[in-house]
Amino acid sequence: MISSRAKAPRHGGALLVVDGAGGRVHRKATFALYPTRAQEEKLHRLLRTLAEVYNAGLAERREAWRLRRVTVTLFDQYGQIKDLKGVRDDALAFGIQPVRTTLKRLDEAYAAFFQRIKAGQRPGFPRFRSHRRHNTAYWDEPISWKVRETDGRPVLYVQGVGDVPLSKHAGKQLARLQRRGGVAGTLTVTRRCAGTGHVWRAAVGFKNVETDALPATGRMVGVDRGVTVTAATSDGALSTYPAEARALRHRADRLGETLAGKKRGSRAWRKTIRQICRTRRRAANLVDNWARETAADITATADVIVLEDLQLKNMTKSAKGTVDEPGRNVAAKSGLNREMQAAALGKLATRIRVKAEEAGRRCWLVDPRNTSRTCPTCGHCAKANRPSQAVFRCQCCGHTANADVNAAVNIAAAGAQAEAAWRAAGSPQVPGSTPRMRRRKQQPAAA
Ligand SMILES: [Zn+2]
């Protein structure tokens, strides 16, 4: 089981976020769709319809409150779906699922709004949406869509759209999850502008997927996630996210600066926007691939993986001076570097947790305080133990090491303490997380 940070049980001062018990997990398959021209028209129509549903639902809630001080609930709005029959049959051509989930997202937007008010913030009220910006359709149940094969080719059947072709790779990815017992439960279809046309992607959520346990190694590894070296392990492996990603992000930022000189909405302006999006996406993909590979390497070597419980939000805000580069525009650059670094660290932690759950490994988050200034040999803890970014030299016993690897060794030691406390407590498992799949509720029959 995998657990959120907030719900993870604490043992020996550390958080157990993945318990290594294996079992059944949730997995998502994400892939491109290759609709025919006619299918693409229908997909556009679906999104336009859902934007209308969203706006109509929002208008109803606003008006009911403004005129009658009445709160319209999600169930009230669900009940009205049947009224569309005969009036807006085009909206029902795709089945009621995407309509229901759109109303549900509206309800969630409301809930988030009121929660923020309660927390003393000043949120923006849920807004009407342009159909051009309504780019996602959801199906929370395995109804009115299906992954299947026609003539030996994988397709995604969507009611009202038809059999949308997929790549062979996507077909294999889906088949693999099905072989592992996975049951397809949710679907998301997303539209994105690309060049002069659009790119369509889908994500299918599977539940009940059997884990794919890796052979036990009897080892434990600590991972120090830092600023200069993104990931250092207690085994001495150092890995840094691709420099090309940073170069791409710098380029995207420079392109952003040229926007000011272009007329908003003009052809040149739109072209630049597309270039910025593409460049940023490429950078994000590079970092993502790096995180996946690094996580796979780390998870393969050890049964227990220990990370620091980092507050990445604070890290991006922290005082500059750690990642500054010489040259022009130092402040802006260091801000970007910190931002990218935090994103890479976050992605790595996520990938390690997912991979650990899948491989039947345990994963701990330990207190990051003093991991970089403590001597693992004699226990002496002092700031002076780290004379430079790269070097650790104990002022007491003279122990010398790479500073990042040294921190990783301390992290592993903290993990060992947590493991001992956990075993002493009888090796309890992480309590079952709330299912990410939504269960079908009893609803008044909606046509
Ligand atoms: Zn020492």
Side-chain angles (χ1 to χ4, degrees):
M1 270 298 181
I2 198 163
S3 167
S4 69
R5 201 176 148 274
K7 287 184 186 158
R10 196 173 275 279
H11 298 280
L15 293 166
L16 180 62
V17 284
V18 184
D19 65 10
R24 303 280 176 160
V25 298
H26 293 105
R27 277 293 167 277
K28 207 155 76 178
T30 313
F31 46 87
L33 297 175
Y34 300 97
T36 63
R37 181 141 305 189
Q39 288 172 341
E40 190 170 28
E41 278 310 309
K42 289 174 182 160
L43 285 168
H44 282 306
R45 206 176 309 146
L46 166 64
L47 291 177
R48 183 185 282 263
T49 306
L50 296 182
E52 281 181 50
V53 167
Y54 189 92
N55 290 335
L58 178 55
E60 188 200 10
R61 284 180 182 241
R62 283 186 167 191
E63 291 300 285
W65 181 253
R66 193 170 65 86
L67 301 173
R68 298 178 277 131
R69 287 285 179 267
V70 171
T71 303
V72 178
T73 68
L74 177 60
F75 294 98
D76 295 336
Q77 298 200 320
Y78 276 172
Q80 293 168 11
I81 297 176
K82 62 179 182 299
D83 300 337
L84 291 171
K85 201 168 184 184
V87 188
R88 286 295 305 267
D89 285 327
D90 59 321
L92 297 176
F94 305 97
I96 61 166
Q97 257 291 301
V99 177
R100 283 175 67 109
T101 52
T102 300
L103 292 172
K104 199 174 201 166
R105 296 305 182 273
L106 171 64
D107 192 58
E108 284 164 4
Y110 260 81
F113 170 74
F114 286 115
Q115 198 164 14
R116 286 203 188 133
I117 286 186
K118 228 171 147 185
Q121 296 165 345
R122 301 187 65 191
F125 198 76
R127 284 193 295 177
F128 290 104
R129 274 194 198 164
S130 155
H131 68 85
R132 283 197 193 83
R133 289 185 158 211
H134 198 93
N135 289 317
T136 314
Y138 302 95
W139 290 255
D140 284 351
E141 320 262 348
I143 299 169
S144 64
W145 62 273
K146 198 176 173 54
V147 174
R148 66 183 182 199
E149 283 198 354
T150 55
D151 307 329
R153 293 190 165 272
V155 296
L156 175 70
Y157 165 77
V158 178
Q159 186 184 330
V161 180
D163 283 331
V164 184
L166 315 176
S167 69
K168 275 193 183 150
H169 176 76
K172 279 184 196 159
Q173 196 187 353
L174 291 161
R176 209 177 305 134
L177 288 169
Q178 274 163 348
R179 263 202 310 280
R180 282 167 60 192
V183 180
T186 62
L187 168 69
T188 307
V189 170
T190 313
R191 172 179 68 190
R192 204 182 66 214
C193 290
T196 50
H198 294 90
V199 170
W200 298 86
R201 293 189 70 79
V204 173
F206 285 84
K207 54 187 169 183
N208 200 44
V209 181
E210 220 170 300
T211 50
D212 203 0
L214 288 172
T217 62
R219 303 185 63 252
M220 179 184 234
V221 69
V223 182
D224 176 58
R225 291 173 293 152
V227 174
T228 318
V229 174
T230 324
T233 73
S234 48
D235 297 334
L238 305 176
S239 178
T240 301
Y241 78 89
E244 199 192 336
R246 197 181 305 175
L248 284 167
R249 278 295 303 275
H250 280 310
R251 212 177 105 204
D253 283 10
R254 278 198 303 275
L255 280 167
E257 285 158 19
T258 68
L259 269 182
K262 298 187 171 85
K263 189 165 172 276
R264 195 183 164 84
S266 69
R267 186 181 287 256
W269 183 84
R270 283 208 307 271
K271 190 179 165 195
T272 309
I273 294 271
R274 278 200 300 271
Q275 280 174 335
I276 293 170
C277 288
R278 197 165 54 226
T279 313
R280 289 183 74 120
R281 203 161 51 236
R282 272 172 60 203
N285 287 346
L286 280 176
V287 175
D288 216 43
N289 289 342
W290 168 83
R292 280 169 196 269
E293 283 164 22
T294 310
D297 289 349
I298 289 171
T299 319
T301 58
D303 302 339
V304 182
I305 300 122
V306 191
L307 302 172
E308 285 172 295
D309 187 11
L310 294 180
Q311 299 285 339
L312 295 175
K313 264 185 196 149
N314 296 348
M315 190 185 139
T316 47
K317 275 188 281 184
S318 71
K320 75 184 186 91
T322 41
V323 289
D324 283 1
E325 281 184 354
R328 274 188 330 124
N329 209 1
V330 169
K333 270 191 182 172
S334 69
L336 173 62
N337 289 350
R338 257 204 305 276
E339 181 199 316
M340 289 207 66
Q341 196 77 45
L345 296 181
K347 274 181 180 168
L348 179 63
T350 306
R351 287 294 156 207
I352 286 178
R353 284 159 72 161
V354 170
K355 201 73 197 163
E357 186 191 32
E358 185 140 299
R361 309 305 208 197
R362 258 190 310 287
C363 185
W364 293 93
L365 298 183
V366 302
D367 188 343
R369 272 174 298 176
N370 297 330
T371 51
S372 61
R373 54 178 71 162
T374 304
C375 172
T377 311
C378 72
H380 179 62
C381 174
K383 202 175 178 183
N385 282 352
R386 192 170 183 174
S388 76
Q389 171 65 38
V391 175
F392 180 89
R393 192 180 301 121
C394 180
Q395 300 296 299
C396 189
C397 75
H399 171 71
T400 308
N402 172 295
D404 294 313
V405 174
N406 186 71
V409 169
N410 285 326
I411 290 165
Q417 271 182 23
E419 278 272 304
W422 177 72
R423 282 186 203 287
S427 307
Q429 288 181 3
V430 168
S433 59
T434 46
R436 272 168 270 177
M437 302 288 166
R438 293 168 171 89
R439 206 175 297 153
R440 197 161 190 190
K441 287 197 196 101
Q442 282 299 312
Q443 291 291 316

